[in-house]
Amino acid sequence: MPRCDYKTKEGVPPIAKHLLEWKKMMKWDEDSIASPACDVRVEDDAFFVQYVTQDMEGNVIEIAQIVDIRTGKAPKDAKIVESFKSCGETSDPIEERCFQIITADSFTNQTFYNFLAFSAKDCKRFVDDLFALCHHFINSNLSQMDYIRKMHKRILLSSKDDKFVSTKDVIKAVAKDEKKKVIEALKVAGLKPADKKDHLPKDKFTFDAFYKFYKEMLAGRPELEKVFNDIKGTKRNYLTLEQTVEFLNKYQRDPRLNEILFPHHNKDGTKKLIQLYEHDKSKQKVGQLTLEGFTNYLMSPDNLPTNIYNLPVYQNMDQPLSHYFINSSHNTYLTGHQFSGRSSVEIYRQCLLSGCRCIELDCWDGEDNEPQITHGFTLCSSIQFKDVIEAINETAFKMTPYPLILSFENHCTPRQQQKMAEYCIEIFGSKLLALPLDDAKAQLKPGLMLPSPEMLKYKILIKNKKRKEDMPDQVDKEKKKKKKK
């Protein structure tokens, strides 16, 4: 069951071949003067980005944790910049050759990896294709079997030795506090150390051997055995073809699904599943499924809880904007609670990268006529409005082309509101929806429907209350109230 079996299905693009090839780069860090040369590539299963320095120090970046890849940030240290001038295509600006890989295990905890490619062309190509791979919907929805495969791959890549894997790496990856249990399970799986240093031969540390070890670590799955026994109902040690078809239709298929679009499982399709996940060839031929094959299927990509091919946009996006639920964020700028939390520019990028399409900006007057964003009348820190607008402009359409709504809670004076407007026009440029669309069906007039998401692709919309003096109806209401008093 290689990882890429299900990646060849229609609609799933292959990994760009050049990503699998080693590339010479420089790795740098703002906190260190050293900037070692390294080789970088995506490993064959596309679980990790590998980078290896000249002294054979090897590290990996988990692709599933990569949230963004950014270009244009050069080192601040003049010595590092000077050393880079002699690397690669010296005629290409350093800013166009530098890129950052950002990983995160939460919205507020990011790690930054800085690299220098040897040409601007290589940098752009590597960044664009790696970003597309990182955010492909399959890589965000792996099966349990793929997670086990990823664990196996991490152990192999963590070893600096070409011939051996250390049992210490296995213990660290699988169960830090269960050393004796890990050693015993390795022995049962036929993975005995080759020397006193507890080294395992790499040629024997195959995925099949690791999977056997993994199952031994779990000491069986009694809950699966109970389900399996309830279905087969006899002393047989397998499910018949008919029983497997019934199980798939009765328990694994949502009865609410449309039967034309999502037909019931039949014998032919079930035979193909059995051939894929049942390792006993004699059982394969007659359409029988053992407990091991049953477990393999349940942990496979064919048994994911969601239909991954419906994760990309497949709905009709030509309806008025008001007909859709919109993924929205409240107090977007805060990384903590609302009384004394820290405000952050980075959190806007993270929200947009997570698919958010409506974000909030609480705008207040700042010093030197610079509007700021904060939670008013609290101890929360503030950030510059301009910095946020620049971050939004960089990230707005990285994940989706559909419109982005900026919800302004505007507390600024007219003078600083003017500054806000200037920044939006200058930074967003043509992305900003400043005038009605040319389409006659998309005019913002009473009695007419709002434009559709399809019409508003790559557009930024600003939601902001008008001043009372700009709304005649409101002015009249205020005058009437005063007269009554």
Short mmCIF file of all heavy atoms in Angstrom, two decimals, residues 394-434:
data_model
loop_
_atom_site.label_atom_id
_atom_site.label_comp_id
_atom_site.label_asym_id
_atom_site.label_seq_id
_atom_site.Cartn_x
_atom_site.Cartn_y
_atom_site.Cartn_z
N GLU A 394 -0.59 40.88 1.12
CA GLU A 394 0.31 39.77 0.76
C GLU A 394 -0.39 38.41 0.81
O GLU A 394 -0.02 37.49 0.08
CB GLU A 394 1.50 39.75 1.73
CG GLU A 394 2.44 40.93 1.59
CD GLU A 394 3.44 41.00 2.73
OE1 GLU A 394 3.51 40.03 3.51
OE2 GLU A 394 4.14 42.02 2.86
N THR A 395 -1.39 38.27 1.69
CA THR A 395 -1.94 36.93 1.99
C THR A 395 -3.38 36.75 1.54
O THR A 395 -3.89 35.63 1.55
CB THR A 395 -1.85 36.68 3.52
OG1 THR A 395 -0.66 37.23 4.04
CG2 THR A 395 -1.86 35.19 3.83
N ALA A 396 -4.06 37.82 1.12
CA ALA A 396 -5.50 37.80 0.88
C ALA A 396 -5.97 36.65 0.00
O ALA A 396 -6.98 36.00 0.30
CB ALA A 396 -5.95 39.13 0.28
N PHE A 397 -5.25 36.36 -1.08
CA PHE A 397 -5.73 35.38 -2.04
C PHE A 397 -4.77 34.21 -2.23
O PHE A 397 -4.76 33.57 -3.28
CB PHE A 397 -6.03 36.08 -3.37
CG PHE A 397 -7.05 37.18 -3.23
CD1 PHE A 397 -6.66 38.51 -3.31
CD2 PHE A 397 -8.37 36.89 -2.97
CE1 PHE A 397 -7.59 39.53 -3.15
CE2 PHE A 397 -9.31 37.90 -2.80
CZ PHE A 397 -8.93 39.23 -2.89
N LYS A 398 -3.97 33.93 -1.22
CA LYS A 398 -3.07 32.78 -1.30
C LYS A 398 -3.82 31.46 -1.26
O LYS A 398 -3.40 30.47 -1.86
CB LYS A 398 -2.05 32.82 -0.15
CG LYS A 398 -0.80 33.62 -0.47
CD LYS A 398 0.31 33.32 0.51
CE LYS A 398 1.64 33.80 -0.01
NZ LYS A 398 2.77 33.39 0.83
N MET A 399 -4.93 31.42 -0.52
CA MET A 399 -5.65 30.16 -0.33
C MET A 399 -6.89 30.03 -1.21
O MET A 399 -7.34 28.93 -1.49
CB MET A 399 -6.08 30.01 1.14
CG MET A 399 -4.91 29.97 2.11
SD MET A 399 -3.75 28.65 1.76
CE MET A 399 -4.77 27.21 1.99
N THR A 400 -7.46 31.14 -1.63
CA THR A 400 -8.69 31.11 -2.41
C THR A 400 -8.82 32.40 -3.20
O THR A 400 -8.37 33.46 -2.74
CB THR A 400 -9.92 30.93 -1.51
OG1 THR A 400 -11.13 31.06 -2.29
CG2 THR A 400 -9.95 31.98 -0.41
N PRO A 401 -9.44 32.35 -4.39
CA PRO A 401 -9.63 33.57 -5.17
C PRO A 401 -10.89 34.34 -4.77
O PRO A 401 -11.12 35.45 -5.27
CB PRO A 401 -9.77 33.04 -6.60
CG PRO A 401 -10.39 31.68 -6.42
CD PRO A 401 -9.82 31.13 -5.13
N TYR A 402 -11.70 33.78 -3.90
CA TYR A 402 -12.99 34.40 -3.59
C TYR A 402 -12.82 35.62 -2.69
O TYR A 402 -11.82 35.78 -1.99
CB TYR A 402 -13.94 33.36 -2.99
CG TYR A 402 -14.35 32.35 -4.02
CD1 TYR A 402 -13.86 31.05 -3.99
CD2 TYR A 402 -15.17 32.72 -5.08
CE1 TYR A 402 -14.20 30.13 -4.98
CE2 TYR A 402 -15.53 31.81 -6.07
CZ TYR A 402 -15.04 30.52 -6.02
OH TYR A 402 -15.37 29.63 -7.00
N PRO A 403 -13.81 36.54 -2.71
CA PRO A 403 -13.64 37.87 -2.11
C PRO A 403 -13.33 37.84 -0.62
O PRO A 403 -13.74 36.94 0.10
CB PRO A 403 -14.99 38.55 -2.37
CG PRO A 403 -15.96 37.43 -2.59
CD PRO A 403 -15.16 36.36 -3.27
N LEU A 404 -12.60 38.88 -0.20
CA LEU A 404 -12.26 39.05 1.20
C LEU A 404 -12.98 40.29 1.72
O LEU A 404 -12.93 41.36 1.09
CB LEU A 404 -10.74 39.22 1.36
CG LEU A 404 -10.25 39.61 2.75
CD1 LEU A 404 -10.56 38.52 3.77
CD2 LEU A 404 -8.76 39.92 2.73
N ILE A 405 -13.63 40.15 2.87
CA ILE A 405 -14.35 41.27 3.49
C ILE A 405 -13.57 41.76 4.69
O ILE A 405 -13.23 40.98 5.59
CB ILE A 405 -15.78 40.84 3.92
CG1 ILE A 405 -16.57 40.36 2.70
CG2 ILE A 405 -16.50 41.99 4.61
CD1 ILE A 405 -17.89 39.68 3.06
N LEU A 406 -13.27 43.06 4.71
CA LEU A 406 -12.63 43.68 5.87
C LEU A 406 -13.70 44.42 6.66
O LEU A 406 -14.31 45.37 6.15
CB LEU A 406 -11.53 44.65 5.43
CG LEU A 406 -10.46 44.11 4.49
CD1 LEU A 406 -9.38 45.17 4.28
CD2 LEU A 406 -9.84 42.83 5.03
N SER A 407 -13.92 43.99 7.88
CA SER A 407 -14.95 44.61 8.72
C SER A 407 -14.27 45.64 9.62
O SER A 407 -13.57 45.29 10.57
CB SER A 407 -15.64 43.52 9.56
OG SER A 407 -16.61 44.10 10.42
N PHE A 408 -14.46 46.92 9.29
CA PHE A 408 -13.84 48.00 10.07
C PHE A 408 -14.76 48.39 11.22
O PHE A 408 -15.92 48.78 11.00
CB PHE A 408 -13.62 49.24 9.20
CG PHE A 408 -12.46 49.14 8.25
CD1 PHE A 408 -11.72 47.98 8.13
CD2 PHE A 408 -12.11 50.23 7.46
CE1 PHE A 408 -10.66 47.89 7.26
CE2 PHE A 408 -11.04 50.15 6.58
CZ PHE A 408 -10.32 48.98 6.47
N GLU A 409 -14.25 48.28 12.45
CA GLU A 409 -14.93 48.91 13.59
C GLU A 409 -14.17 50.23 13.77
O GLU A 409 -13.11 50.28 14.39
CB GLU A 409 -14.83 48.04 14.84
CG GLU A 409 -15.62 48.59 16.01
CD GLU A 409 -15.55 47.70 17.24
OE1 GLU A 409 -15.93 46.52 17.14
OE2 GLU A 409 -15.08 48.20 18.29
N ASN A 410 -14.73 51.29 13.21
CA ASN A 410 -13.98 52.51 12.99
C ASN A 410 -14.24 53.56 14.07
O ASN A 410 -15.33 54.10 14.18
CB ASN A 410 -14.35 53.08 11.62
CG ASN A 410 -13.28 53.98 11.07
OD1 ASN A 410 -12.51 54.58 11.82
ND2 ASN A 410 -13.23 54.08 9.76
N HIS A 411 -13.21 53.83 14.88
CA HIS A 411 -13.32 54.83 15.95
C HIS A 411 -12.41 56.03 15.65
O HIS A 411 -12.20 56.87 16.53
CB HIS A 411 -12.90 54.22 17.28
CG HIS A 411 -13.72 53.03 17.69
ND1 HIS A 411 -14.93 53.14 18.34
CD2 HIS A 411 -13.53 51.70 17.50
CE1 HIS A 411 -15.43 51.93 18.57
NE2 HIS A 411 -14.59 51.04 18.06
N CYS A 412 -11.89 56.12 14.44
CA CYS A 412 -10.91 57.16 14.11
C CYS A 412 -11.58 58.49 13.76
O CYS A 412 -12.73 58.54 13.29
CB CYS A 412 -10.06 56.72 12.92
SG CYS A 412 -8.95 55.35 13.30
N THR A 413 -10.85 59.56 13.97
CA THR A 413 -11.29 60.89 13.56
C THR A 413 -11.22 60.99 12.03
O THR A 413 -10.51 60.21 11.39
CB THR A 413 -10.39 61.97 14.18
OG1 THR A 413 -9.04 61.70 13.78
CG2 THR A 413 -10.49 61.95 15.70
N PRO A 414 -11.96 61.95 11.44
CA PRO A 414 -11.92 62.08 9.97
C PRO A 414 -10.51 62.18 9.40
O PRO A 414 -10.23 61.62 8.34
CB PRO A 414 -12.71 63.37 9.73
CG PRO A 414 -13.68 63.43 10.85
CD PRO A 414 -12.95 62.88 12.04
N ARG A 415 -9.61 62.86 10.12
CA ARG A 415 -8.25 63.02 9.62
C ARG A 415 -7.55 61.67 9.48
O ARG A 415 -6.91 61.38 8.46
CB ARG A 415 -7.46 63.93 10.56
CG ARG A 415 -6.06 64.24 10.04
CD ARG A 415 -5.30 65.06 11.05
NE ARG A 415 -3.94 65.33 10.59
CZ ARG A 415 -2.97 65.75 11.36
NH1 ARG A 415 -3.19 65.95 12.65
NH2 ARG A 415 -1.77 65.97 10.87
N GLN A 416 -7.68 60.81 10.50
CA GLN A 416 -7.01 59.51 10.43
C GLN A 416 -7.79 58.53 9.56
O GLN A 416 -7.22 57.59 9.01
CB GLN A 416 -6.77 58.96 11.84
CG GLN A 416 -5.81 59.81 12.63
CD GLN A 416 -4.95 59.03 13.61
OE1 GLN A 416 -4.88 57.81 13.59
NE2 GLN A 416 -4.25 59.76 14.48
N GLN A 417 -9.11 58.75 9.42
CA GLN A 417 -9.88 57.93 8.46
C GLN A 417 -9.37 58.20 7.04
O GLN A 417 -9.31 57.29 6.21
CB GLN A 417 -11.36 58.25 8.56
CG GLN A 417 -12.03 57.68 9.81
CD GLN A 417 -13.54 57.81 9.77
OE1 GLN A 417 -14.16 57.61 8.73
NE2 GLN A 417 -14.13 58.12 10.91
N GLN A 418 -9.01 59.46 6.78
CA GLN A 418 -8.46 59.81 5.47
C GLN A 418 -7.16 59.04 5.23
O GLN A 418 -6.91 58.52 4.13
CB GLN A 418 -8.19 61.31 5.42
CG GLN A 418 -7.59 61.80 4.11
CD GLN A 418 -8.54 61.67 2.93
OE1 GLN A 418 -9.76 61.79 3.10
NE2 GLN A 418 -8.02 61.41 1.75
N LYS A 419 -6.36 58.93 6.29
CA LYS A 419 -5.11 58.17 6.19
C LYS A 419 -5.39 56.70 5.91
O LYS A 419 -4.71 56.06 5.09
CB LYS A 419 -4.34 58.31 7.51
CG LYS A 419 -2.90 57.88 7.45
CD LYS A 419 -2.01 59.00 6.96
CE LYS A 419 -0.55 58.63 7.08
NZ LYS A 419 0.33 59.76 6.77
N MET A 420 -6.40 56.14 6.59
CA MET A 420 -6.79 54.74 6.36
C MET A 420 -7.17 54.53 4.90
O MET A 420 -6.75 53.55 4.26
CB MET A 420 -7.97 54.37 7.26
CG MET A 420 -7.63 54.25 8.73
SD MET A 420 -9.12 54.17 9.77
CE MET A 420 -9.95 52.75 9.08
N ALA A 421 -7.98 55.46 4.36
CA ALA A 421 -8.42 55.34 2.97
C ALA A 421 -7.22 55.39 2.01
O ALA A 421 -7.15 54.62 1.05
CB ALA A 421 -9.41 56.46 2.65
N GLU A 422 -6.26 56.28 2.30
CA GLU A 422 -5.08 56.40 1.45
C GLU A 422 -4.29 55.09 1.43
O GLU A 422 -3.84 54.64 0.37
CB GLU A 422 -4.19 57.54 1.95
CG GLU A 422 -4.79 58.92 1.71
CD GLU A 422 -3.98 60.02 2.39
OE1 GLU A 422 -2.91 59.70 2.98
OE2 GLU A 422 -4.40 61.19 2.34
N TYR A 423 -4.11 54.48 2.61
CA TYR A 423 -3.36 53.22 2.69
C TYR A 423 -4.08 52.12 1.90
O TYR A 423 -3.45 51.33 1.19
CB TYR A 423 -3.18 52.80 4.14
CG TYR A 423 -2.12 53.58 4.89
CD1 TYR A 423 -2.30 53.94 6.22
CD2 TYR A 423 -0.93 53.95 4.27
CE1 TYR A 423 -1.34 54.67 6.91
CE2 TYR A 423 0.03 54.67 4.95
CZ TYR A 423 -0.17 55.03 6.27
OH TYR A 423 0.79 55.73 6.94
N CYS A 424 -5.40 52.04 2.05
CA CYS A 424 -6.17 50.98 1.36
C CYS A 424 -6.06 51.14 -0.15
O CYS A 424 -5.85 50.15 -0.88
CB CYS A 424 -7.63 51.02 1.80
SG CYS A 424 -7.92 50.46 3.49
N ILE A 425 -6.18 52.37 -0.64
CA ILE A 425 -6.11 52.62 -2.09
C ILE A 425 -4.70 52.35 -2.61
O ILE A 425 -4.52 51.71 -3.65
CB ILE A 425 -6.54 54.07 -2.39
CG1 ILE A 425 -8.03 54.26 -2.08
CG2 ILE A 425 -6.25 54.42 -3.85
CD1 ILE A 425 -8.48 55.70 -2.09
N GLU A 426 -3.71 52.83 -1.86
CA GLU A 426 -2.32 52.70 -2.30
C GLU A 426 -1.84 51.25 -2.26
O GLU A 426 -1.20 50.76 -3.21
CB GLU A 426 -1.43 53.57 -1.39
CG GLU A 426 0.05 53.44 -1.66
CD GLU A 426 0.89 54.13 -0.60
OE1 GLU A 426 0.38 55.04 0.09
OE2 GLU A 426 2.07 53.75 -0.45
N ILE A 427 -2.14 50.52 -1.18
CA ILE A 427 -1.59 49.16 -0.98
C ILE A 427 -2.40 48.10 -1.72
O ILE A 427 -1.84 47.22 -2.37
CB ILE A 427 -1.50 48.85 0.53
CG1 ILE A 427 -0.48 49.79 1.19
CG2 ILE A 427 -1.10 47.39 0.76
CD1 ILE A 427 -0.50 49.77 2.71
N PHE A 428 -3.73 48.19 -1.66
CA PHE A 428 -4.57 47.17 -2.31
C PHE A 428 -4.63 47.38 -3.83
O PHE A 428 -4.80 46.42 -4.58
CB PHE A 428 -5.98 47.18 -1.74
CG PHE A 428 -6.06 46.69 -0.32
CD1 PHE A 428 -7.02 47.20 0.56
CD2 PHE A 428 -5.19 45.73 0.16
CE1 PHE A 428 -7.11 46.75 1.86
CE2 PHE A 428 -5.27 45.28 1.46
CZ PHE A 428 -6.23 45.79 2.32
N GLY A 429 -4.54 48.62 -4.26
CA GLY A 429 -4.59 48.89 -5.70
C GLY A 429 -5.89 48.39 -6.33
O GLY A 429 -6.98 48.64 -5.82
N SER A 430 -5.75 47.66 -7.44
CA SER A 430 -6.93 47.20 -8.18
C SER A 430 -7.72 46.11 -7.45
O SER A 430 -8.84 45.80 -7.84
CB SER A 430 -6.50 46.67 -9.55
OG SER A 430 -5.61 45.58 -9.41
N LYS A 431 -7.14 45.54 -6.40
CA LYS A 431 -7.88 44.52 -5.63
C LYS A 431 -9.05 45.14 -4.87
O LYS A 431 -10.03 44.45 -4.58
CB LYS A 431 -6.95 43.83 -4.62
CG LYS A 431 -5.80 43.06 -5.23
CD LYS A 431 -4.87 42.55 -4.13
CE LYS A 431 -3.58 41.97 -4.71
NZ LYS A 431 -2.61 41.63 -3.66
N LEU A 432 -8.93 46.42 -4.52
CA LEU A 432 -9.96 47.08 -3.71
C LEU A 432 -11.19 47.37 -4.55
O LEU A 432 -11.11 47.99 -5.61
CB LEU A 432 -9.40 48.38 -3.14
CG LEU A 432 -10.34 49.18 -2.23
CD1 LEU A 432 -10.63 48.40 -0.96
CD2 LEU A 432 -9.73 50.54 -1.91
N LEU A 433 -12.34 46.92 -4.07
CA LEU A 433 -13.60 47.22 -4.76
C LEU A 433 -14.04 48.62 -4.34
O LEU A 433 -14.76 48.79 -3.36
CB LEU A 433 -14.66 46.18 -4.40
CG LEU A 433 -15.98 46.30 -5.18
CD1 LEU A 433 -15.76 45.98 -6.66
CD2 LEU A 433 -17.05 45.39 -4.61
N ALA A 434 -13.61 49.61 -5.11
CA ALA A 434 -13.91 51.00 -4.79
C ALA A 434 -15.11 51.53 -5.57
O ALA A 434 -15.74 52.50 -5.17
CB ALA A 434 -12.68 51.86 -5.07
#
